[in-house]
Amino acid sequence: MCGAFFVENNQGMQKLTAALGVSEMDSRGIRVPASMVQIVTEPEIDQRRLEDAKWWLLLDKNGKPNYQYATFNSRSDKLYSSRLTKNLMKISRCVLPASGVIEGQDKQYHSLTTEADAIALGGLYKRYQIGDEQVTTASVITCPPNPKLDGIHNKSTPLMLDWRDQELMDMWLDPGLTDSDAFRHLLTGELMMPMTATPIKGARDLAARGEAVEIASD
């Protein structure tokens, strides 16, 4: 699962947002489920934008996160069958820009970053009308575990898109591309770029507690 990520408006993030054609991110530090995040959407063709969203896809009728289901993540094996996600996968794909991801296993935590200091997490978004207010929510798509991440997180791998591949990003965000089968090949858990795994002190503490390890892409 992807249970936390962090966002700093550094040079890497500025390159990512420039590549996606949206405004610069806010530096918001560590983001956790049900907190407010920033996502990249393209609700209409050529109307790409950066917007705020709650990191919890399913809300109750009062606009609060529905904690009965942990919908801050959307599992890849249920994307095409779940009533919540199958239509969103067709028309409501988004990107959650991150400086890095925090993963934990056996009470040991690591930050996962890239040489570019920017990660494009593939996700879904949903809009709700709560009274007079429109609320946007989002989730991170999670894929099968990658053996290269054994000892870091062996249950799943967040979908990390190669944001330097302009054709891929244009397809992912294209609201007119409703054939979601075009993205099945991305949902294998493969690493699309080399990663750096740094042991950190805790799930909400990015201070290093050991030497970083380089992990090659697949």
Side-chain angles (χ1 to χ4, degrees):
M1 63 184 290
C2 178
F5 62 89
F6 54 97
V7 179
E8 299 296 338
N9 185 20
N10 54 24
Q11 189 175 36
M13 291 297 287
Q14 291 165 12
K15 289 181 179 179
L16 183 153
T17 52
L20 296 182
V22 297
S23 57
E24 289 187 11
M25 302 276 296
D26 295 333
S27 291
R28 297 192 178 184
I30 296 174
R31 300 288 83 198
V32 298
S35 65
M36 296 302 294
V37 298
Q38 291 180 292
I39 65 174
V40 179
T41 64
E42 191 171 336
E44 298 180 21
I45 294 174
D46 296 329
Q47 295 295 316
R48 193 174 297 179
R49 66 194 189 197
L50 184 70
E51 60 178 296
D52 286 334
K54 185 177 290 293
W55 186 19
W56 198 282
L57 196 60
L58 185 62
L59 303 183
D60 63 23
K61 62 181 181 180
N62 297 315
K64 304 296 183 181
N66 185 331
Y67 290 114
Q68 184 177 359
Y69 305 100
T71 57
F72 58 95
N73 288 158
S74 293
R75 287 174 45 173
S76 60
D77 60 340
K78 296 184 177 181
L79 282 179
Y80 295 90
S81 59
S82 167
R83 288 184 296 174
L84 177 61
T85 60
K86 63 182 180 181
N87 193 54
L88 297 179
M89 187 61 184
K90 293 180 180 179
I91 61 173
S92 295
R93 299 177 298 272
C94 68
V95 170
L96 294 84
S99 301
V101 173
I102 298 171
E103 293 285 19
Q105 182 172 300
D106 300 327
K107 297 183 179 181
Q108 301 294 315
Y109 297 91
H110 291 77
S111 68
L112 295 177
T113 57
T114 67
E115 184 178 13
D117 285 331
I119 296 172
L121 295 168
L124 305 175
Y125 72 97
K126 184 175 174 61
R127 301 200 194 279
Y128 294 82
Q129 192 66 39
I130 309 295
D132 296 330
E133 181 184 9
Q134 186 179 77
V135 178
T136 301
T137 65
S139 67
V140 174
I141 294 172
T142 55
C143 304
N146 188 303
K148 291 182 179 180
L149 299 181
D150 280 351
I152 295 173
H153 194 71
N154 61 11
K155 293 184 178 180
S156 65
T157 306
L159 175 58
M160 295 178 281
L161 302 168
D162 186 353
W163 55 269
R164 298 163 298 183
D165 185 338
Q166 184 175 345
E167 181 180 3
L168 171 62
M169 302 311 298
D170 287 347
M171 289 177 61
W172 182 259
L173 292 169
D174 183 356
L177 201 171
T178 59
D179 180 9
S180 56
D181 283 338
F183 302 110
R184 285 186 183 271
H185 70 285
L186 301 175
L187 306 177
T188 62
E190 292 185 1
L191 300 179
M192 299 187 188
M193 59 193 72
M195 309 292 298
T196 299
T198 303
I200 57 176
K201 290 187 176 180
R204 307 293 181 260
D205 187 346
L206 291 171
R209 60 172 176 82
E211 293 187 7
V213 175
E214 302 301 320
I215 303 173
S217 59
D218 290 307

